[in-house]
Amino acid sequence: MTTDEFEVRQRLVRVAQGHEDADLLIRDARVVNVLTREVYAADVAVAGGRIAAVGGGYRAARTLDARGAFLAPGFVDAHIHIESTMLTPARFAQVVRPHGTTGVVAEPHELVNVLGLDGLHWMLQAGRGSGVRVFASLPSCVPASAFERGGAALTPEDVRAGLAVPGVLGLAEMMNYPGVLGLDEGVWGILREAGGRRDGHAAGLGGRELQAYAAAGIHSDHEAVTPQEALERLRAGLWLMVREGSAARNLEALLPVLRGDHTGGRVPRRAMLVSDDVGVDELLALGHLDRLMRTCVAGGMHPADALALVTCNPAEYWGLHDMGVVAPGHHADLVLLEDLRDFRVLESLVGGEPLGTQAVTPRLAGGRVDLGAGWDTVSLAVPVHWPVIGVRPDQIVTDRLPAPDAAAQDGGGQGMDGPLTRLVVADRYGRGEVAACWAHGIGLTRGAVALSVLHDAHHVIVAGADEASIRAAGRALEAMGGGVVVHDGQRITAQLPLPFAGLMTDDAPLSAARDAEGITAAMHALGSGLPYPITTLSFLGLSVIPSLKLTPAGLLDVDAWTLVDREAAPA
């Protein structure tokens, strides 16, 4: 206990006994106790940013009249990539605080893949004073696998140093499950350094492989997409993180498990709701964790059970023992709610204080986009035997589709039950590697879109209907310094500059959302029907999500854990 905390704790004791006035008294509230699942009338006394007492008869320097509103703990997102919102932490806070989010555990492997541990330090620095409590989990897979090469690579020694940084709560999602199961020396060197929490990432694992993954000392997973997968993870002792993001929507499918339908009405003890990756446009339009709880309650879940999924459960998982409960000694991170159905937020407090003025975002050096001198002439040809990436509009997994016939390829990508789109991934760090393949489900019939957001190495990905548009969009993106560019073959029709490492902007959230919506509209004008194209496209290079992904080194068969041969096998 630090000297400052020691003094605050002693003051809390005096306030709780009525010997000293509190700083803030929240009067006439209906307190939601997420531990006992009760709601009861009480006042809440706050001193030094913490709750001193829950009861009646207290005095304070200032009073907040709740007028019978529900007082709940502030919401905590246990797994989110702030970079995927395309906002800096301060701008992110502006969006989510009005929806009741007061804390997040950020997984900054986007920044760390680009900038190394400098990205981790920047995320925590930018989080301080942002308006929400920003903790971090330390990226475990930089790069995500041996098939990726980004701007940095973390060694076991780097992991040891990163885990010692204040604000880092544990090891982030161990995506390289083949390395875990295969006892890869490098992967296990990282696991050796992680003695606390170890987040998991077990996409598609089941049976003995899942048992082995859990036995390695992994504590959670957010990749379940079916009720059976969710139950299997809970039975294996893993905490279940139910993800509902812009590109991966799993809540509706897994709600029966959260509701207890498969366990005699008993809700799972170890479960949470998380965003993982969600865009600013969706946050502004639909909300954050409040939206997920609305879905739960509308689906028949008790409001107190829904609240536990974003309060006491994530706090317990991450060892945030002073958060997630309206109780003495805990941080006064609190939300006043109009009701427990729509979870409309009336007030959101962090340390007993409302959201203040916009924090100053620290400068972030590095992270430029360099396609290399050969971009204008490099071959964008697709090997004729390569399978096609089947893109799903609401999931980050992809399908393996058969190679198109020669007529379809000669026709510029027409085939199957809709247009094929040429997908190109180019190294953004000046090394000149480029690969191309066909994708189905993007739908572009003309023009191209280029992004410097490509999980996790964050190379440049370009989807286009013709080579000239692809090259033009790539050069426009490079000149802009990173972000998203739509080119119709003649000119730029929409763009979203992301000057912070090619991943984030410090512009006002509404401005960023309008730019993101402009990208979507421009892509729809070119034939795409993807509802959230930025997020969907950004996952088409992630080498640890089945089934096919494209990297600068070539087309990766994730299921077989090998690059697809560039030369066709002999007949």
Side-chain angles (χ1 to χ4, degrees):
M1 188 180 295
T2 65
T3 300
D4 289 345
E5 184 182 349
F6 181 83
E7 293 174 352
V8 168
R9 294 286 185 184
Q10 287 198 330
R11 186 179 173 214
L12 292 176
V13 170
R14 294 193 296 270
V15 172
Q17 295 181 88
H19 300 326
E20 186 176 324
D21 288 356
D23 299 327
L24 170 68
L25 182 66
I26 304 174
R27 188 175 59 194
D28 189 26
R30 284 187 282 179
V31 173
V32 182
N33 191 314
V34 293
L35 298 179
T36 64
R37 306 303 202 260
E38 296 176 279
V39 177
Y40 43 81
D43 298 342
V44 175
V46 176
R50 293 179 179 267
I51 298 170
V54 179
Y58 291 99
R59 298 181 303 176
R62 56 191 177 94
T63 299
L64 173 61
D65 193 344
R67 301 180 183 274
F70 295 93
L71 185 67
F75 312 150
V76 178
D77 196 329
H79 180 70
I80 186 171
H81 305 283
I82 292 178
E83 305 99 307
S84 291
T85 68
M86 297 180 292
L87 301 173
T88 59
R91 293 300 191 180
F92 168 75
Q94 282 186 299
V95 177
V96 299
R97 266 288 292 273
H99 292 281
T101 300
T102 58
V104 299
V105 181
E107 212 281 66
H109 70 208
E110 322 307 340
L111 266 181
V112 174
N113 267 275
V114 176
L115 300 173
L117 287 182
D118 288 346
L120 170 73
H121 289 287
W122 183 90
M123 181 61 73
L124 290 168
Q125 180 188 3
R128 290 190 286 271
S130 65
V132 298
R133 296 189 195 274
V134 176
F135 303 96
S137 54
L138 180 72
S140 63
C141 300
V142 179
S145 74
F147 300 104
E148 294 189 44
R149 188 164 61 125
L154 294 193
T155 65
E157 292 72 27
D158 294 326
V159 169
R160 185 187 312 124
L163 288 170
V165 174
V168 175
L169 304 181
L171 192 69
E173 49 190 326
M174 175 47 74
M175 297 182 288
N176 192 347
Y177 58 82
V180 175
L181 302 180
L183 304 181
D184 178 87
E185 183 178 344
V187 170
W188 279 84
I190 287 171
L191 289 175
R192 183 192 297 273
E193 299 299 333
R197 275 290 183 220
R198 303 181 193 94
D199 256 358
H201 186 287
L205 288 189
R208 290 185 174 182
E209 287 185 332
L210 183 67
Q211 295 290 308
Y213 188 70
I218 307 299
H219 298 127
S220 68
D221 184 50
H222 59 271
E223 293 292 333
V225 298
T226 67
Q228 181 55 42
E229 286 184 343
L231 282 170
E232 194 175 8
R233 280 146 178 76
L234 289 167
R235 289 167 179 167
L238 298 173
W239 285 74
L240 176 67
M241 293 181 174
V242 176
R243 171 181 56 194
E244 185 75 2
S246 295
R249 303 183 183 279
N250 308 131
L251 178 54
E252 183 178 353
L254 303 187
L255 183 54
V257 176
L258 295 178
R259 208 166 44 210
D261 292 4
H262 302 273
T263 50
R266 293 179 294 276
V267 299
R269 171 68 181 78
R270 294 181 165 189
M272 293 166 271
L273 299 175
V274 302
S275 299
D276 199 5
D277 298 277
V278 61
V280 57
D281 46 350
E282 183 167 351
L283 286 173
L284 286 168
L286 302 176
H288 188 208
L289 298 172
D290 56 330
R291 170 175 65 97
L292 308 192
M293 287 189 292
R294 281 195 293 274
T295 299
C296 289
V297 172
M301 196 170 188
H302 192 280
D305 290 332
L307 275 165
L309 297 174
V310 299
T311 56
C312 57
N313 288 11
E316 178 184 348
Y317 174 77
W318 281 116
L320 299 170
H321 304 301
D322 294 344
M323 294 175 60
V325 181
V326 182
H330 287 65
H331 288 299
D333 300 351
L334 304 165
V335 179
L336 273 175
L337 301 168
E338 186 176 87
D339 58 61
L340 297 180
R341 181 187 65 258
D342 295 327
F343 298 98
R344 180 171 176 267
V345 175
L346 302 175
E347 184 65 88
S348 177
L349 306 173
V350 172
E353 298 295 334
L355 182 62
T357 58
Q358 167 68 25
V360 176
T361 296
R363 180 176 176 272
L364 180 61
R368 69 190 184 99
V369 174
D370 180 4
L371 292 175
W375 171 251
D376 296 320
T377 57
V378 67
S379 173
L380 302 182
V382 179
V384 295
H385 65 284
W386 271 12
V388 174
I389 294 180
V391 178
R392 301 187 191 183
D394 59 351
Q395 299 294 337
I396 61 176
V397 296
T398 63
D399 299 310
R400 182 191 180 106
L401 304 178
D405 58 33
Q409 296 195 43
D410 291 343
Q414 293 295 324
M416 300 187 179
D417 58 349
L420 297 180
T421 300
R422 191 185 303 265
L423 202 64
V424 176
V425 170
D427 183 288
R428 72 175 277 188
Y429 304 99
R431 293 177 292 231
E433 287 188 327
V434 179
C437 72
W438 294 112
H440 178 264
I442 298 173
L444 290 176
T445 56
R446 61 189 181 92
V449 57
L451 302 81
S452 59
V453 180
L454 181 63
H455 302 284
D456 279 329
H458 296 290
H459 295 297
V460 168
I461 181 169
V462 192
D466 63 89
E467 292 193 19
S469 296
I470 288 171
R471 295 186 198 277
R475 279 298 183 213
L477 179 71
E478 183 182 50
M480 191 171 69
V484 188
V485 169
V486 179
H487 200 287
D488 69 357
Q490 302 296 321
R491 61 186 179 88
I492 295 172
T493 57
Q495 61 184 1
L496 170 56
L498 300 175
F500 286 77
L503 300 172
M504 294 171 289
T505 177
D506 202 37
D507 287 349
L510 279 172
S511 175
R514 281 194 295 266
D515 286 346
E517 290 164 358
I519 296 292
T520 301
M523 286 192 63
H524 287 174
L526 298 178
S528 177
L530 292 175
Y532 292 96
I534 295 174
T535 307
T536 299
L537 292 172
S538 73
F539 277 100
L540 296 183
L542 182 51
S543 64
V544 292
I545 298 290
S547 287
L548 292 176
K549 294 298 166 74
L550 186 64
T551 77
L555 183 63
L556 177 65
D557 184 334
V558 182
D559 298 319
W561 203 236
T562 185
L563 290 169
V564 179
D565 287 341
R566 288 187 177 272
E567 301 296 329

